[in-house]
Amino acid sequence: MKKIAFSGASGNGISPLEQIMTLKGYTVYGTDHSFDIGKDAERKKALSDVGINIVHQDGSAITDDIEFLCVSAAIKDSNPDVKKAKEKNIPIKFRSDLLREIFSQYPYGIAVGGTAGKTTTTAMIGYVLETLNKKPCMINGGALCNFQNNKGIPNYIYNEGDICVIEADESDGSITKYKPFVGIVNNVSHDHTSMEKLMEYFTTFANNSQNIVINLDCPYSSQIKHSSYKTFSTKNPQADFYAHDITATANGVEYMFMGEKFQLQMLGAFNVSNALATITACSFLNIDPKICAKTLEGFLGIKTRLEKIGSKNNITIYNDFAHNPSKIRASLEALKAYSGRIIAMYQPHTPFSAINTGNEMAQEIAQVLEENDIMILQEIYELTKDDVGITSDNIVKEIINNGHKNAMFLPTKSDTKEFIVNNVKQGDRIIIMGAHDNSLADFCREILEAI
């Protein structure tokens, strides 16, 4: 039996690959610094439960009989596993390269791209295909709520059929590595790098695809040309797949599509767009659009994507992975469709993110929130002592400059929790937003318990 190792085992991109490779018969070793310092215990147990051998990130996982070490783009050369692999001349693969290898084994590959919505759309497609017994493989960055009682982290579906669905990441340019049967360009917005570079990535991705799905509502994705494409829209009835009369419901959203009313068990008009992307992609597999829309009524969403953590004393709290201007705006707009004040907290994940999109983020927040809504920014999650002059407080000042005066900088989780507990009132909706920090869901539960 072949042995392989993964460094960064807890990561959203690495964890589904570890689990799939275990099911393929490999002996898998996983390491993660967060496990070594006592964090992410729930994810550590979930991975152990499906047979992954979790060991310390000290190079001990890299033995002479390891076939290769798989790492994400975030893993540095100083990582002990990487050092040991180089010492032993053991091949090192990027996560995206292993994903490409698996993806290329399936004749009908669907790669979901876009700076927003790709995780949810990937999950929607996987859920539809699995429910309709199409036996897909799905590799995703987010965990499906429908499968949360399964062993392991439910961010994958594994079958050895002829369809594979993946989330194709543009943040490191790896989206250009895939050659799908169907490529989806959900949208293009400012995140990770310049708009020029993003358009270059997505254009190459489209050229690598046999068929392409295009969102007509995005001014950037709608510019992409291809000889074989289908479109979707919530604004333009000329699109191949068009939804309209989108209305917020008590527990989600409903919409008109092809003359019938359908519903989703998720908040936000943006999820109707994700549903349309799913319907359009599945149409290339000859799945009836109405059957697809009806199947999606059973989809329960993704963990950490505007996930309702709970309600207490007529106060509801949500955990959300939103971390760029368009995602933050979409989540806040989804909550603004309902009555009641919003108390929002955002924790920028990296100094680069705060610098790259901070001003644009401030503008979006100020446009959506009303006077009585409260916006809190915590200090940047991955800030180091070398990041001089970079702080979330800069974004707070820009939010105020853009017209929303009820914004504040509260550096730590304890500061944020104390403020929310002391100021929350019945009817409020609390949303905790941020990426990379897996403890935010537990933080939401702490707040819920305290109010």
Side-chain angles (χ1 to χ4, degrees):
M1 186 177 290
K2 294 181 178 181
K3 295 169 66 176
I4 55 177
F6 291 82
S7 192
S10 185
N12 292 328
I14 291 285
S15 55
L17 293 174
E18 292 172 294
Q19 296 176 98
I20 283 176
M21 295 306 282
T22 299
L23 290 168
K24 282 179 172 289
Y26 286 80
T27 298
V28 175
Y29 289 82
T31 79
D32 200 293
H33 177 66
S34 63
F35 295 159
D36 293 349
I37 61 175
K39 292 184 176 180
D40 294 355
E42 187 175 334
R43 290 172 77 87
K44 179 180 179 180
K45 182 180 184 304
L47 294 171
S48 297
D49 285 348
V50 293
I52 295 167
N53 303 283
I54 302 298
V55 298
H56 285 289
Q57 195 172 86
D58 55 7
S60 59
I62 312 303
T63 52
D64 291 335
D65 55 349
I66 289 289
E67 182 180 340
F68 64 85
L69 168 67
C70 183
V71 300
S72 71
I75 298 295
K76 309 299 183 187
D77 286 346
S78 58
N79 178 283
D81 298 336
V82 173
K83 285 183 175 180
K84 183 61 71 72
K86 288 183 175 180
E87 286 175 14
K88 292 179 174 292
N89 292 318
I90 289 172
I92 299 173
K93 288 184 183 181
F94 282 116
R95 175 202 65 85
S96 54
D97 290 322
L98 178 58
L99 178 59
R100 177 181 57 185
E101 289 176 13
I102 297 171
F103 186 61
S104 65
Q105 295 169 9
Y106 293 80
Y108 298 102
I110 301 175
V112 183
T115 43
K118 58 182 174 289
T119 305
T120 299
T121 303
T122 302
M124 283 180 162
I125 296 171
Y127 172 78
V128 167
L129 295 175
E130 179 76 353
T131 302
L132 297 179
N133 200 32
K134 300 296 183 181
K135 301 189 182 307
C137 176
M138 184 208 73
I139 305 169
N140 201 9
L144 280 71
C145 294
N146 290 84
F147 304 142
Q148 60 187 331
N149 293 326
N150 291 1
K151 268 190 173 184
I153 300 171
N155 51 9
Y156 75 97
I157 298 170
Y158 182 63
N159 292 288
E160 294 185 348
D162 57 6
I163 305 171
C164 184
V165 188
I166 65 167
E167 178 179 0
D169 187 11
E170 81 290 343
S171 67
D172 58 359
S174 61
I175 190 171
T176 60
K177 295 180 178 181
Y178 312 114
K179 299 183 183 299
F181 174 68
V182 178
I184 298 175
V185 183
N186 226 351
N187 46 64
V188 186
S189 61
H190 192 200
D191 192 10
H192 305 301
T193 187
S194 68
M195 289 299 295
E196 292 77 14
K197 181 59 71 173
L198 284 172
M199 284 301 293
E200 180 184 321
Y201 289 159
F202 283 111
T203 300
T204 300
F205 170 65
N207 291 338
N208 288 341
S209 303
Q210 293 182 48
N211 306 282
I212 199 80
V213 173
I214 295 173
N215 178 6
L216 283 188
D217 296 338
C218 172
Y220 293 98
S221 64
S222 61
Q223 296 174 23
I224 292 174
K225 307 300 182 185
H226 199 279
S227 59
S228 177
Y229 69 93
K230 293 181 183 180
T231 60
F232 68 90
S233 174
T234 61
K235 299 174 183 177
N236 186 345
Q238 299 305 309
D240 294 302
F241 297 97
Y242 170 60
H244 56 98
D245 293 340
I246 300 170
T247 307
T249 64
N251 297 304
V253 64
E254 63 183 21
Y255 61 100
M256 292 297 297
F257 174 66
M258 299 183 77
E260 293 184 23
K261 184 178 288 187
F262 296 93
Q263 60 183 357
L264 295 171
Q265 298 186 62
M266 296 176 291
L267 304 184
F270 64 91
N271 275 317
V272 176
S273 289
N274 293 334
L276 288 174
T278 298
I279 291 165
T280 309
C282 288
S283 74
F284 280 106
L285 300 176
N286 298 317
I287 294 173
D288 183 274
K290 287 186 179 181
I291 291 175
C292 190
K294 190 65 179 176
T295 304
L296 283 171
E297 293 190 335
F299 181 69
L300 300 178
I302 295 289
K303 304 288 284 184
T304 78
R305 267 56 174 190
L306 203 52
E307 177 190 5
K308 181 179 176 180
I309 299 298
S311 296
K312 188 177 179 181
N313 301 328
N314 196 27
I315 298 164
T316 306
I317 186 164
Y318 298 88
N319 180 32
D320 193 25
F321 194 70
H323 59 277
N324 69 26
S326 64
K327 292 176 182 177
I328 289 172
R329 181 181 186 116
S331 292
L332 294 176
E333 284 183 335
L335 294 182
K336 290 304 294 181
Y338 301 86
S339 61
R341 182 178 67 164
I342 290 175
I343 300 178
M345 186 282 280
Y346 173 57
Q347 176 180 263
H349 51 300
T350 64
F352 176 78
S353 172
I355 295 170
N356 188 41
T357 63
N359 289 344
E360 186 181 344
M361 191 176 299
Q363 294 170 13
E364 299 281 18
I365 290 169
Q367 287 175 12
V368 175
L369 294 185
E370 297 177 351
E371 185 178 358
N372 66 329
D373 295 324
I374 299 171
M375 187 71 216
I376 301 165
L377 264 83
Q378 279 185 187
E379 191 53 281
I380 301 163
Y381 180 58
E382 295 177 11
L383 193 71
T384 72
K385 64 179 186 304
D386 297 325
D387 298 309
V388 179
I390 305 172
T391 173
S392 294
D393 196 26
N394 294 338
I395 301 175
V396 170
K397 290 171 182 174
E398 284 301 310
I399 294 171
I400 294 171
N401 289 340
N402 277 278
H404 183 70
K405 306 303 181 185
N406 211 359
M408 64 191 72
F409 175 55
L410 298 175
T412 67
K413 288 186 175 73
S414 59
D415 296 328
T416 300
K417 178 182 174 182
E418 181 180 2
F419 176 85
I420 291 176
V421 170
N422 290 336
N423 290 275
V424 72
K425 58 187 181 182
Q426 288 193 5
D428 285 350
R429 275 130 334 114
I430 303 165
I431 179 170
I432 304 297
M433 298 179 287
H436 291 194
D437 184 357
N438 289 329
S439 72
L440 290 178
D442 288 336
F443 180 54
C444 290
R445 295 183 187 99
E446 288 178 23
I447 294 172
L448 185 66
E449 180 67 26
I451 57 179

